[in-house]
Amino acid sequence: MPRITVTVDGIKYEEDVEPRLLLVHLLRERLGKTGTPVGCDTSNCGACTVMLDGKSVKSCSALAVQADGCDVVTIEGLGANGSMHPMQRAFHEEHALQCGYCTPGMVMAAIDLLRENPEPSEEAIREGLEGNLCRCTGYCNIVKAVRRGAQEMGRAVTTP
Amino acid sequence: MTVQQEIGRPRRRKEDARLLTGRTQWTDNLSRPGMLHVMFLRSPMAHARIARVDVSGARDLPGVVAAFSGQDFAAEQGSLPCAWPVSEDVVIPDHPPMAVSEVRYVGEAVACVIATDRYRAADALEAIDVEYEQLPAVLDMNEALAEGSPKVHEAGNKAFSVKINSGDIEAAFRDAPVVIDRTYRQQRLIPSAMEPRAVLADTDGEAFTLWSSTQIPHVLRVMLAVVTGIPEHRLRVIAPDVGGGFGSKLQVTAEEVLCLLLARRLGRPVKWTESRSEGNLTVHHGRDQIQHIRLAADADGRIRGLRVGLLADMGAYLMLVTPGIPLLGASMFNAIYKMDAYEFGCTGVFTTKMPTDAYRGAGRPEATFGIERVMDELAAELKMDPVDVRRRNWIKHDEFPYTTISGLTYDSGNYEAATEKALALFGYDKLRAEQADRRDRGDPVQLGLGVSTYTEMCGLAPSRMLGESNYGAGGWEHGSVRMLPTGKVEVITGTSPHGQGHVTSWSQIAADALGVPFEDVTVLHGDTAIAHKGMDTYGSRSLVVGGVAVLKACDKVKEKARKLAAHVLECSPDDLEFAAGAFKVRGTDQQKTVQELAYAAFTAHDLPEGVEARLDSDATFDPENYSFPHGTHLCAVEVDTETGMVKIRSYVAVDDVGKVVNPLIVEGQVHGGIAQGIAQALFEEAVYDAEGNLLTTTMADYLMPSAADLPTFDLDRTESPATSNPLGAKGVGEAGTIASTPAVVNAIVDALRPHGIHDVEMPCTPERVWRALRERAQEERAQEGVRQ
Ligand code: FES
Ligand code: FES
């Protein structure tokens, strides 16, 4: 069984894993990181999105062994010092979640979207979130939240 | 002290922080010491006799604790319940949680494996040997009813039939100047809550606890007790965080029953989590009706009578409320319109497919679709504007309360106001002008405008009325309020939210009623050991029944507090006025806050005669009538006549849901509802092939809309308070879904009408639209040919 080293939300783990173990199951069932949920088995829904070395990936379609030597950030490790990330706050402010099942993945995808395009138009937001499905919100408030999150994050960057 | 009114305030949700930071308790997150994982082997055939099941190969594999076939559980697994025997002639077939001798749809469980982890369980499933003797699949409702059709069940393929008559329908149709005669198909849908179902069952040998991603912990507990024989008082059901339901988790499922029985047999906790593809096969489906609708009208567009004939696909079995779903629509086909006569007939049909049951709106979206489509056809026939046809027929503002032809009494409403507001917001006249211009120019991209003026029957409750329709339970709701010694408040509700934000709204209700800060209230729910009474969440009933129960409990607490305050302040209770959370002796500055009184009631050092320790109270609410939200939805679509592509250009919704507790939450519910209704109109369909295999088992095949597929919706509201409950609220969970499907399809047909098209079957995919255009063009060419 391969042994991997992976850092998750700032903590380093060394784990023996079956080669077929999915990253999402490593996180959820071995490391107790249940903040990342599973919504499908075809990498269509995006609920399981986490950051792998700074880029969003669907953790249901990555193998645990692929995370060897990598840095993973889940929704549980996103905020700093007990406070929420600006994108999490924006989702709260804009009522961009209902049941909340899609939310961790949505927040992760939104942050990654802004990495590539810090000031996205509505259309760019909608296109950018295409791989993340939400059944509750109809996306209106998610789009607003991503916009607000972009503003807040921009501010965080520009203000010293 | 000025206290800000909470009701009506757009409060950000208390629920959010946990959900946003991943501190969630989805059932699949939970774990118990020694927990085992269950997986089910499912039938690959739509219809077959089970000749033999051999699980021995699975039992021997590493990590496998046990494996069982349906036969192994035949004696104890009971039959899954149907609580709505709608008619005298209803046939309720035996429905074993694991098939024993015959399978009737692809995905039906035939065996299970219990292993130390899910990977091992999945491996072991492959070692189970099943021998099937294939039987003919029965997929089409008309064929299922035909003489000599293969039988799904011994008793035949007819599940029930119902007929309702009101007024002289023959007279209404006799010599009617206009008769519209249409047949519509409500395609089969997969509800697709984002959280797949999960169940965890545990026992200490005496008592049982079941965690389930369910909407109905209370109903589930009763039903599981009946089905499994586990005594109700030794069974606790917990719905922890639940990731959406939309009716699909309003069910007593095979997996819930079996996990409980497995925990009992093995004496260990067992968990089952479905995969999405397993879920698409086995979460009950929604809709699936064929509607034959005939409408008779005068030459000026006044409706005389309406005849509705439904075939409703039950699938292979009757589940919790399967036969009741089409009947929920029975009294809604006449919608907001006045007419002289109405006839409704429905036949429930068994087929070898996954059973259908409640899906967002449950029966009412189907009915609203039928009538709103036909109203547009009537308008087209008479060359009237679709909005004018509705104006001519709807119940006027000053006619409420109004008893409809189907016998419901609508308490309040103002269709004129909602429609005017919607038309203005939409820019109706300007869009009509643009439409005319595009038609004149022969623009390949045509504009279509669709309207839907709907009402729905909300607040599934009045126990008396549910009883009259043969439903097996009541519809009351429970609320409980406990003032804690420190003055904080615990509210307990019998409703069981899964995204609707009850914790926030119920906090607002209690904060206003008791005059305490919003932050001082917490709301407990979803655990039968804590929320000990309730009827759960479905049918837009939570606020209008459950929220009112909380309000009533607050009032009772206040009455008790008043007695206590009078005792402490040494005055008569009548001398006290209640304001801003305090009882004040009139004309003095002497007062006691409810929160102070809570401490006095806790110490109980000096209680007046007849007042018990602790400041708390329980209440139930059972309204006299349903509530009837309404609204006007308008949709503009651009249809590319060369590719069949449909693009929603704008969408306006003006809803009247009575008094609003939290506008933010109401808006969110409407957004989500509209998206789900649009999805039926444009994208989603559960497709079976000729052998009865589901072709849409994954999210890659079953097309749920993403953010890129939908526009932003423009919303507004009017407010006609309900008179059937003291909150004046009407319910909102299903409104958007009910209204939007016909609005979109009406818009598409409106765009295509100059091409001679008067219907496109749902979902209106580019291919369907393109085919409709091409077929029409071919017909025209053929006619030309005949003429020449
Ligand atoms: S669970 Fe990973 S994309 Fe759906
Ligand atoms: S909030 Fe429920 S799925 Fe997005």
Side-chain angles (χ1 to χ4, degrees), chain A residues 37-41 43-48 58-60:
Chain A
V38 178
C40 70
D41 34 48
S43 67
N44 285 90
C45 78
C48 65
K58 293 179 174 175
S59 62
C60 73

Side-chain angles (χ1 to χ4, degrees), chain B residues 671-730:
Chain B
H671 282 160
I674 293 172
Q676 231 158 332
I678 291 178
Q680 176 173 11
L682 296 182
F683 306 111
E684 297 183 16
E685 178 173 27
V687 184
Y688 283 90
D689 72 8
E691 271 79 53
N693 296 302
L694 184 70
L695 300 180
T696 51
T697 47
T698 70
M699 282 180 166
D701 311 308
Y702 186 82
L703 208 64
M704 268 168 68
S706 77
D709 300 311
L710 297 170
T712 290
F713 314 128
D714 294 318
L715 307 189
D716 207 339
R717 275 190 279 122
T718 57
E719 192 173 294
S720 318
T723 61
S724 51
N725 71 66
L727 268 178
K730 291 188 169 180

Side-chain angles (χ1 to χ4, degrees), chain B residues 247-260:
Chain B
S248 71
K249 293 171 181 170
L250 159 50
Q251 195 53 268
V252 178
T253 66
E255 294 83 3
E256 286 160 331
V257 171
L258 290 167
C259 282
L260 209 45

Side-chain angles (χ1 to χ4, degrees), chain B residues 112-329:
Chain B
C112 62
V113 164
I114 302 92
T116 49
D117 75 62
R118 48 180 113 207
Y119 287 65
R120 305 266 172 286
D123 290 344
L125 283 186
E126 288 173 25
I128 298 177
D129 198 18
V130 188
E131 205 179 295
Y132 296 99
E133 286 164 16
Q134 191 158 8
L135 296 168
V138 183
L139 300 166
D140 179 273
M141 285 192 276
N142 281 306
E143 283 169 23
L145 291 178
E147 195 79 33
S149 163
K151 285 181 182 173
V152 181
H153 294 283
E154 241 343 275
N157 296 338
K158 198 178 95 177
F160 67 89
S161 60
V162 167
K163 221 167 179 82
I164 298 167
N165 244 308
S166 184
D168 188 344
I169 195 76
E170 299 298 335
F173 274 79
R174 200 176 305 130
D175 314 318
V178 191
V179 174
I180 307 290
D181 189 328
R182 293 283 188 274
T183 299
Y184 296 121
R185 203 177 64 102
Q186 285 284 322
Q187 80 268 35
R188 185 175 266 257
L189 298 177
I190 302 177
S192 306
M194 284 303 298
E195 181 207 18
R197 290 177 300 153
V199 183
L200 166 57
D202 197 3
T203 177
D204 61 6
E206 300 265 307
F208 293 81
T209 306
L210 183 100
W211 291 262
S212 178
S213 56
T214 180
Q215 297 174 226
I216 52 163
H218 295 92
V219 174
L220 186 60
R221 182 196 194 201
V222 184
M223 290 297 179
L224 286 175
V226 172
V227 172
T228 64
I230 292 170
E232 198 178 342
H233 63 301
R234 301 221 186 103
L235 175 59
R236 173 181 180 187
V237 174
I238 303 174
D241 287 328
V242 176
F246 316 110
S248 71
K249 293 171 181 170
L250 159 50
Q251 195 53 268
V252 178
T253 66
E255 294 83 3
E256 286 160 331
V257 171
L258 290 167
C259 282
L260 209 45
L261 295 179
L262 286 167
R264 179 165 73 183
R265 194 176 277 202
L266 302 171
R268 300 199 32 195
V270 297
K271 181 161 85 176
W272 168 77
T273 305
E274 80 184 351
S275 68
R276 178 63 56 177
S277 31
E278 193 181 19
N280 279 14
L281 285 170
T282 60
V283 168
H284 70 243
H285 294 170
R287 315 282 190 257
D288 210 346
Q289 296 180 355
I290 297 169
Q291 315 175 316
H292 185 196
I293 303 176
R294 277 158 296 168
L295 180 103
D298 287 336
D300 65 355
R302 193 191 69 87
I303 304 170
R304 292 173 153 212
L306 179 68
R307 277 191 148 123
V308 176
L310 288 190
L311 287 184
D313 197 336
M314 305 284 101
Y317 299 97
L318 302 185
M319 298 200 68
L320 190 61
V321 291
T322 304
I325 302 306
L327 291 185
L328 282 173

